[in-house]
Amino acid sequence: RLFGGLILDVKRKAPWFWSDFRDGLSLQCLASFLFLYCACMSPVITFGGLLGEATKGHISAMESLLGASMTGVMYSLFAGQPLTILGSTGPVLVFEKILYKFCKDYGLSYLSLRACIGLWTAFLCIVLVATDASCLVCYITRFTEEAFAALICIIFIYEALEKLFWLGETYPIHAASKLDLLTIYYCKCEAPAHPTNETLLFWESNQINPSSIAWENLTVSECRHLHGEFHGPACGHDGPYTPNVLFWSCILFFSTFVLSGSLKTFKTSRYFPTRVRSTISDFAVFFTIVTMVIIDFLIGVPSPKLQVPHMFKPTRDDRGWLINPIGPNPWWTVLAALIPALLCTILVFMDQQITAVIVNRKEHKLQKGCGYHLDLLMVAVMLGVCSVMGLPWFVAATVLSITHVNSLKLESGSSAPGEQPRFLGIQEQRVTGLMIFVLMGCSVFLTGVLKFIPMPVLYGVFLYMGVSSLRGIQFFDRLKLFGMPEKHQPDFIYLRHVPLRKVHLFTLIQLTCLVLLWVIKASPAAIVFPMMVLALVFVRKVMDFCFSKRELSWLDDLMPESKKKKLDDAKNEAKEEELKLGKTSYSDLSKQDNDRVDPSEINISDEMPKTTVW
């Protein structure tokens, strides 16, 4: 039916709406919200800064903060799965760069054309909702889901390390310094001996007379601004050596990662009462950030800090908060915008639905149901609003969503000594997502506090989120099997039923797809990344010719590993009991369980009780 899936989503989620707010009133939700607020702020501002560079300030950090806050609040209030966290994606940034360059080359208004594309994309997404296209997520199996999730986790880890590495460019070190010569090391600013044409043009346009400037008295930023040059044995390629900042940033980065992981596992420690251990574990990342900020403040090394806009206004003075979709552009651009909008629709649909599939995994034991159609509708509506207001577009962020779910896990209280707590489910509610994005919108008024947070600490949080999100991805467990002798391999359920060579073949295909996705993501062709993610679904269908249905049911099944293992163990025990009681013969057992046991591979002495009479 028209909007049939959406109506069912609303009926499924409506009875839980008020309980979503009552269930959010807990200490664990407070810890999750404080942690994820810090984790979400930095990528939003960083994305805004990169977007500002790519679009010459048409859309920058202020627009990114406002867009993330508005979209996140509306999504948290009315979406079908509020555990999903919205964020920005790399392909969107690539698309924005290409669109801005196109508009600049052909003399078109960037914001107006972008508004047309956004409105078309929102319309097409609503058409997908109306036609129940979200039902196609049934073709997104573990193969596609894990390849996509693994890629996003690896990108998080890579970018965290890359940002730390690039701090070495801003704050270079002098590796060959001699302690005895520290008294004569210097680095001063001088006028360029051979100014370039760009420098001469800059001086002329700003009416600067280089001979009247006291170059040696300029600060580092002033020297760079006036196109001066640095000279002296304590100078790097672009300024003075500052080794303290880089090394201190490395200490903050790795300390944040290690301390976050250590405090998170404190719940299983033998020290302190259960309530204390649980509280420390829940607030692990927040305690880590506070601790690192205090230590950084006391040490006094000028590490780079989080930069937040100070005033609530558009970055450029020549634009407002409402954008005319036509503006100065020709009328035909409204129709031409439909072509790039098709690509954006695929991007939004794949990013949103794959992340939703990961959040709604059976192993998370969610009780309140899902809402794929309702989720896509909210993303589409807010995408249209952001387009008209000239704000960035936001869709489901995979790593942030996985981290959000992991931070809300409910576990049983362990009473017996040495007993590990059992996983009970997820604290399903709307409060954490709502508070994250409400506070993000208020961040413009919290610059006095946020300016003390060092960026290396947030990079360390990114590394922790990426590494912790890798846990539970079966793909990485199968990767480790390549270098592991059979006698040391864990008791994975799929190893009981699928030959090892077939497991390795499945892993190699998945690894090849992951590498291809990475190459495309990092290349100038990154704009077709959504199409490549969609292609994973077709690759998985082709694999039906390489594997039997029984093998794929174990390797690509979405049922949780622990549940499958329990069912398999129970089945084995039942069969053994029947054998012991003499109610069935071994040949009957082989016929009944032909999918599980290959009779030609059975070692009778291992399989049969010694008391059995043949």
Side-chain angles (χ1 to χ4, degrees):
R1 293 180 302 160
L2 192 67
F3 290 105
L6 177 64
I7 294 171
L8 291 176
D9 282 351
V10 173
K11 289 181 177 178
R12 184 187 307 115
K13 300 299 293 186
W16 301 101
F17 186 75
W18 294 114
S19 70
D20 283 343
F21 293 95
R22 291 194 301 269
D23 295 343
L25 304 177
S26 70
L27 201 61
Q28 186 180 18
C29 292
L30 175 63
S32 175
F33 141 63
L34 292 174
F35 155 41
L36 278 162
Y37 164 69
C38 299
C40 293
M41 269 292 293
S42 181
V44 166
I45 292 176
T46 303
F47 178 79
L50 293 173
L51 202 53
E53 293 177 6
T55 63
K56 305 301 181 190
H58 283 88
I59 303 176
S60 195
M62 173 54 73
E63 288 80 11
S64 186
L65 268 178
L66 178 61
S69 178
M70 285 176 48
T71 306
V73 167
M74 295 302 294
Y75 188 88
S76 299
L77 283 174
F78 303 111
Q81 184 47 271
L83 295 176
T84 303
I85 298 292
L86 301 188
S88 49
T89 62
V92 169
L93 180 61
V94 174
F95 178 81
E96 299 277 14
K97 287 181 179 179
I98 294 173
L99 179 62
Y100 180 79
K101 186 176 183 302
F102 175 82
C103 293
K104 186 177 180 181
D105 293 343
Y106 291 94
L108 299 174
S109 171
Y110 162 69
L111 289 178
S112 295
L113 183 59
R114 182 182 178 277
C116 290
I117 295 172
L119 289 173
W120 273 117
T121 303
F123 171 75
L124 292 174
C125 287
I126 293 175
V127 170
L128 293 177
V129 174
T131 55
D132 289 352
S134 295
C135 293
L136 296 174
V137 298
C138 65
Y139 294 105
I140 301 176
T141 62
R142 181 183 288 272
F143 176 85
T144 305
E145 167 198 320
E146 288 195 338
F148 182 79
L151 175 69
I152 304 301
C153 291
I154 292 173
I155 288 174
F156 250 66
I157 296 171
Y158 172 80
E159 289 187 348
L161 295 171
E162 183 187 39
K163 286 180 172 66
L164 181 68
F165 174 80
W166 281 109
L167 286 178
E169 297 291 320
T170 309
Y171 307 101
I173 64 171
H174 190 192
S177 61
K178 298 179 180 179
L179 297 181
D180 193 43
L181 301 179
L182 289 179
T183 54
I184 61 174
Y185 280 135
Y186 68 93
C187 180
K188 64 180 181 180
C189 182
E190 295 180 359
H194 304 286
T196 62
N197 292 333
E198 181 186 356
T199 300
L200 293 172
L201 183 63
F202 174 78
W203 286 347
E204 182 181 352
S205 60
N206 291 277
Q207 298 180 350
I208 295 173
N209 183 7
S211 60
S212 63
I213 297 176
W215 293 92
E216 64 278 2
N217 295 329
L218 297 180
T219 63
V220 174
S221 57
E222 290 172 343
C223 186
R224 288 172 178 159
H225 175 68
L226 295 176
H227 294 212
E229 294 179 350
F230 295 95
H231 293 279
C235 289
H237 62 279
D238 189 33
Y241 291 122
T242 51
N244 289 350
V245 175
L246 177 62
F247 293 144
W248 179 239
S249 297
C250 291
I251 292 173
L252 289 174
F253 177 80
F254 290 107
S255 297
T256 300
F257 172 68
V258 173
L259 188 57
S260 297
S262 301
L263 292 180
K264 194 65 182 176
T265 58
F266 195 74
K267 183 180 289 187
T268 57
S269 170
R270 299 180 180 180
Y271 304 99
F272 302 107
T274 304
R275 178 62 63 86
V276 175
R277 296 200 309 269
S278 298
T279 303
I280 293 175
S281 177
D282 292 338
F283 285 86
V285 180
F286 178 73
F287 285 157
T288 300
I289 293 174
V290 172
T291 302
M292 291 296 114
V293 168
I294 293 173
I295 293 175
D296 177 73
F297 178 77
L298 294 176
I299 296 296
V301 177
S303 57
K305 302 296 193 294
L306 180 66
Q307 300 294 325
V308 183
H310 298 283
M311 296 180 63
F312 182 73
K313 67 171 188 174
T315 305
R316 290 175 61 118
D317 295 330
D318 59 350
R319 60 152 290 181
W321 290 119
L322 290 177
I323 307 297
N324 186 344
I326 300 179
N329 293 337
W331 64 269
W332 54 263
T333 57
V334 177
L335 303 177
L338 178 61
I339 299 173
L342 291 171
L343 188 61
C344 282
T345 303
I346 297 174
L347 186 153
V348 171
F349 183 82
M350 295 303 295
D351 267 1
Q352 177 65 37
Q353 302 299 33
I354 290 180
T355 304
V357 168
I358 295 172
V359 171
N360 292 313
R361 279 176 175 170
K362 292 180 181 178
E363 57 205 62
H364 289 151
K365 299 182 180 180
L366 301 181
Q367 303 296 320
K368 297 183 179 180
C370 56
Y372 292 98
H373 308 84
L374 185 55
D375 291 345
L376 187 60
L377 176 66
M378 292 308 305
V379 169
V381 170
M382 292 312 300
L383 193 145
V385 172
C386 289
S387 299
V388 173
M389 295 185 66
L391 307 177
W393 301 327
F394 294 91
V395 293
T398 307
V399 172
L400 290 173
S401 300
I402 294 174
T403 306
H404 189 208
V405 171
N406 290 338
S407 68
L408 294 170
K409 284 185 175 179
L410 297 173
E411 294 179 336
S412 62
S414 53
S415 53
E419 180 186 347
Q420 294 296 321
R422 291 181 296 103
F423 173 65
L424 301 178
I426 304 295
Q427 187 86 355
E428 299 177 66
Q429 37 73 46
R430 298 179 182 271
V431 175
T432 51
L434 180 64
M435 293 304 300
I436 288 168
F437 292 104
V438 166
L439 193 57
M440 189 178 292
C442 300
S443 296
V444 180
F445 310 106
L446 300 175
T447 53
V449 177
L450 298 175
K451 68 180 181 181
F452 291 106
I453 301 179
M455 289 304 295
V457 172
L458 296 179
Y459 300 157
V461 172
F462 290 167
L463 181 64
Y464 166 76
M465 289 166 57
V467 172
S468 62
S469 299
L470 291 178
R471 295 171 193 156
I473 295 182
Q474 189 192 92
F475 169 65
F476 287 95
D477 293 334
R478 285 187 272 106
L479 271 181
K480 290 186 284 187
L481 294 177
F482 280 104
M484 196 180 297
E486 289 192 29
K487 63 180 180 180
H488 296 305
Q489 290 175 357
D491 182 25
F492 294 134
I493 186 66
Y494 49 84
L495 290 179
R496 300 182 185 181
H497 301 272
V498 183
L500 186 60
R501 58 183 177 80
K502 284 298 190 75
V503 175
H504 287 338
L505 177 60
F506 188 87
T507 306
L508 282 173
I509 295 174
Q510 203 169 14
L511 180 62
T512 303
C513 293
L514 178 61
V515 172
L516 289 175
L517 284 176
W518 176 272
V519 170
I520 292 170
K521 178 84 166 52
S523 71
I527 195 169
V528 300
F529 175 76
M531 299 293 293
M532 296 301 103
V533 176
L534 182 61
L536 290 179
V537 178
F538 297 98
V539 172
R540 166 60 183 83
K541 296 302 293 181
V542 172
M543 289 170 64
D544 288 340
F545 300 100
C546 306
F547 298 86
S548 67
K549 288 185 178 180
R550 182 178 67 87
E551 290 168 343
L552 288 174
S553 70
W554 292 107
L555 290 172
D556 201 30
D557 188 25
L558 292 177
M559 185 183 290
E561 170 88 11
S562 57
K563 186 174 181 180
K564 287 191 290 187
K565 191 176 289 185
K566 287 178 182 177
L567 292 173
D568 195 59
D569 289 340
K571 188 177 180 181
N572 292 345
E573 290 176 6
K575 299 298 182 184
E576 288 178 5
E577 287 297 323
E578 289 183 6
L579 285 170
K580 288 179 181 179
L581 295 174
K583 292 183 178 180
T584 182
S585 66
Y586 189 74
S587 58
D588 292 337
L589 174 60
S590 296
K591 291 177 183 177
Q592 294 171 9
D593 201 18
N594 192 39
D595 284 346
R596 189 178 65 85
V597 181
D598 185 353
S600 63
E601 298 178 357
I602 294 173
N603 185 334
I604 295 179
S605 61
D606 292 338
E607 295 288 336
M608 298 301 301
K610 293 181 180 179
T611 55
T612 302
V613 178
W614 290 87

